Amino acid sequence: MKPRLSHSVQQQLVLTPQLRQAIRLLQLSSVELEAEIAEAVASNPLLDWTEEQDTDGADAGELPEAVETASEAVSDAVSEPEPGPEFDLWQEHGSRATGAEHSDDFAQQATEDSLRDHLLLQLHLGHFSPLETRIGVALIESIDDDGYLRDDLDTLAASLRPELDVSPEQMLPVLHRIQCFDPIGSGARNVGECLQAQLRALTDNTPGRGLALLLVTSLLDRLPRLGLGELAAKLDCSPADASVAVALVQSLDPRPGSRFGALPADAYVRPDCVIWRHQGLWKVALAPDAQPRIGLQQDYQRLLERTSGADAEYLRGHLQEARWLLKALESRADTLLRVVRCLVREQAGFLEFGPQALRPLTLREIATELELHESTVSRAVAGKFAHTPRGTLPLRAFFASGIGTDAGGSASSTAIQDRIRKLVANEDPRKPLSDAKLADTLKKEGVPVARRTIAKYREALQIPASHERVRVASAIAPAPRPTGPRPTAEGGP
């Protein structure tokens, strides 16, 4: 087994170009990754596309082998050949799956993964009390697309009353925890606070961190007008140290929400991995196009051996960048496969039986099992999709918060919502189930859920309240037929 770096060591390396590149690649979807790699190949003469293997007439058992070179970790998932085209995804399972449309190119219409969705996922999978969760939802709903909380806490607290009676002092600790979510700095009330959150996430021995904190705290507004010498005097440091601090600040992201945005209505995604079933076991592999096929340009490598001087320095620099990129791609593939395999192990019931079998699962549980940091797992699942017998699903669909049951276990919020949907679908349209009745039904099934929680889940499912469902039912119900004899044209019997 490869040795794993501890989180403290990872943080110490956070500013190295290699790790920064690996982090950026990890959070990209397969489509975004392809664009990133195409730009790298165009700008680096030491990189080149490798010949793509012809899989048109290949046996489905050969198709995963094209992916195997991306990471050694793939080998155990594709050790046996699969009968039928495209892994025979529906074998033993597809006939029972609902809503899964087969697609020859593995494309699926995309759903919007906004900044709010990303933050809410981390909130619900974190360890927050019920009150803190309600505060967190209110704060996240007020964050704009750039990642900033524009309203002050006093105004926001007043707008939440009487439904949620909390003070700004109660909201502030929750806000600080949200600012540590991925992307770090989300929920900041100004640029300085945003940059401070990102700097505090670094270790104390990060070069320039202390001076950078002082800079963004008290001198950020004046920075464009200050020269390096004057800035060094105000920071009481040498110009060289001031330059390191400025470079560190420039490496931060003042708009943490900018990489999230609404997708066009007709946008499609290409899955990053494929999950299929063979002989009763669930298998995982990278999707055929998820790992760009690039390698080192052999002609330039040979030229480097015969070149000296400035030309050699130029080629060596690009060679090092190319090797970093290939290593980062290998690390991305390895991390993504490890996370997806863990999700499949934990949520096999979800793949087998559907949302009602989705068990509570948090980012922390996956991170602990894989010895990774929560932010790494968050980046690995953000914007990623898996092609499964139940359709193309976002990886975040495998996570769910939980509610304790009378039997001592727990039920996921997704499973409870699925149960509510089924109860409403099978109700008498003339006597719809109220939220209280739904809560009683679930309590009898061993899942004690408060009526207000039922209302929240029902609204999330876009199910109208019971009195509105009565009006809808009466509007679409056929008119009752007359029971007496039909009148003749003259009005007689």
Side-chain angles (χ1 to χ4, degrees):
M1 178 181 295
K2 296 180 180 179
R4 298 288 172 189
L5 293 176
S6 66
H7 175 52
S8 60
V9 175
Q10 290 176 350
Q11 281 192 316
Q12 292 175 20
L13 299 176
V14 71
L15 291 179
T16 64
Q18 307 97 299
L19 190 58
R20 188 179 301 166
Q21 183 182 49
I23 291 174
R24 186 178 71 255
L25 294 181
L26 179 60
Q27 65 191 21
L28 297 180
S29 67
S30 60
V31 176
E32 294 169 332
L33 181 67
E34 183 178 3
E36 180 89 4
I37 298 306
E39 182 179 349
V41 172
S43 62
N44 191 333
L46 269 296
L47 285 172
D48 195 10
W49 299 104
T50 59
E51 292 186 9
E52 296 192 12
Q53 301 182 20
D54 182 13
T55 60
D56 292 341
D59 179 79
E62 298 172 356
L63 187 55
E65 294 177 6
V67 184
E68 189 170 359
T69 55
S71 172
E72 296 176 358
V74 185
S75 58
D76 61 336
V78 294
S79 56
E80 298 181 64
E82 298 294 321
E86 297 179 353
F87 306 153
D88 194 11
L89 288 172
W90 310 148
Q91 184 186 22
E92 304 180 41
H93 183 78
S95 60
R96 296 195 301 274
T98 58
E101 295 293 337
H102 185 74
S103 174
D104 292 336
D105 57 3
F106 285 179
Q108 177 79 12
Q109 190 160 3
T111 56
E112 179 182 346
D113 189 13
S114 66
L115 174 65
R116 292 179 181 85
D117 294 332
H118 189 59
L119 295 175
L120 287 171
L121 171 67
Q122 297 173 78
L123 174 71
H124 290 301
L125 298 180
H127 294 267
F128 290 85
S129 69
L131 177 60
E132 290 173 334
T133 299
R134 296 182 66 189
I135 294 174
V137 170
L139 290 170
I140 290 173
E141 291 296 333
S142 301
I143 294 175
D144 66 16
D145 292 338
D146 287 333
Y148 285 91
L149 183 68
R150 304 296 183 182
D151 297 328
D152 61 78
L153 294 184
D154 290 304
T155 302
L156 188 56
S159 68
L160 297 177
R161 300 187 183 101
E163 288 80 8
L164 183 61
D165 189 7
V166 293
S167 66
E169 290 74 21
Q170 291 174 286
M171 302 177 74
L172 190 59
V174 180
L175 178 61
H176 286 161
R177 292 179 65 181
I178 291 174
Q179 290 173 358
C180 296
F181 286 178
D182 175 58
I184 296 176
S186 300
R189 290 162 288 183
N190 52 61
V191 177
E193 190 174 46
C194 176
L195 300 182
Q196 288 176 42
Q198 296 177 44
L199 288 170
R200 291 194 180 98
L202 307 178
T203 54
D204 294 338
N205 59 355
T206 300
R209 177 180 179 271
L211 291 176
L213 273 171
L214 181 60
L215 192 159
V216 301
T217 301
S218 57
L219 297 172
L220 188 61
D221 294 338
R222 302 170 59 187
L223 182 60
R225 299 189 299 272
L226 294 176
L228 190 59
E230 188 176 356
L231 178 63
K234 291 187 176 296
L235 294 176
D236 193 19
C237 66
S238 66
D241 290 339
S243 178
V244 172
V246 171
L248 179 57
V249 172
Q250 290 175 337
S251 71
L252 305 176
D253 187 359
R255 297 175 61 237
S258 59
R259 67 181 176 91
F260 294 86
L263 294 171
D266 58 348
Y268 280 75
V269 296
R270 192 167 59 213
D272 302 85
C273 57
V274 181
I275 301 171
W276 77 103
R277 188 176 177 180
H278 176 61
Q279 296 181 354
L281 298 177
W282 289 102
K283 304 287 185 177
V284 178
L286 291 179
D289 296 326
Q291 187 72 0
R293 299 182 179 93
I294 61 171
L296 295 177
Q297 224 288 346
Q298 300 300 322
D299 293 337
Y300 277 99
Q301 278 190 287
R302 287 189 290 268
L303 180 62
L304 180 60
E305 297 173 359
R306 305 191 302 269
T307 308
S308 60
D311 291 338
E313 286 296 324
Y314 171 80
L315 291 177
R316 272 195 290 269
H318 281 292
L319 178 60
Q320 186 62 52
E321 291 178 3
R323 286 173 174 167
W324 284 350
L325 178 61
L326 294 175
K327 186 65 177 177
L329 288 173
E330 181 182 354
S331 175
R332 178 187 185 274
D334 177 70
T335 301
L336 182 57
L337 279 169
R338 292 178 65 220
V339 169
V340 177
R341 284 204 187 100
C342 190
L343 290 176
V344 170
R345 286 196 301 270
E346 297 292 336
Q347 300 290 18
F350 167 56
L351 292 169
E352 176 71 23
F353 301 107
Q356 69 271 19
L358 188 70
R359 62 174 291 269
L361 186 65
T362 65
L363 294 171
R364 179 172 297 183
E365 290 179 66
I366 298 297
T368 300
E369 182 171 343
L370 298 179
E371 298 182 0
L372 298 172
H373 192 260
E374 285 183 60
S375 63
T376 301
V377 178
S378 175
R379 291 187 179 98
V381 303
K384 309 294 192 307
F385 291 78
H387 195 66
T388 78
R390 293 195 167 271
T392 300
L393 305 174
L395 292 185
R396 57 188 172 91
F398 287 79
F399 293 90
S401 56
I403 294 177
T405 65
D406 292 340
S410 59
S412 72
S413 57
T414 304
I416 295 173
Q417 290 181 42
D418 185 70
R419 182 61 180 144
I420 293 173
R421 185 190 293 109
K422 290 180 178 178
L423 288 172
V424 171
N426 296 324
E427 69 185 0
D428 182 350
R430 299 188 182 279
K431 294 182 179 179
L433 298 172
S434 65
D435 293 342
K437 184 62 177 177
L438 289 170
D440 290 340
T441 302
L442 289 174
K443 186 175 182 180
K444 292 176 182 177
E445 296 177 358
V447 184
V449 184
R451 185 198 59 78
R452 60 180 179 274
T453 304
I454 294 290
K456 181 181 70 173
Y457 288 165
R458 176 178 51 74
E459 291 171 359
L461 294 170
Q462 298 183 345
I463 297 175
S466 57
H467 65 277
E468 294 176 345
R469 300 203 299 275
V470 170
R471 290 199 295 268
V472 171
S474 61
I476 64 176
R481 292 184 177 182
T483 56
R486 298 180 64 181
T488 63
E490 289 80 10

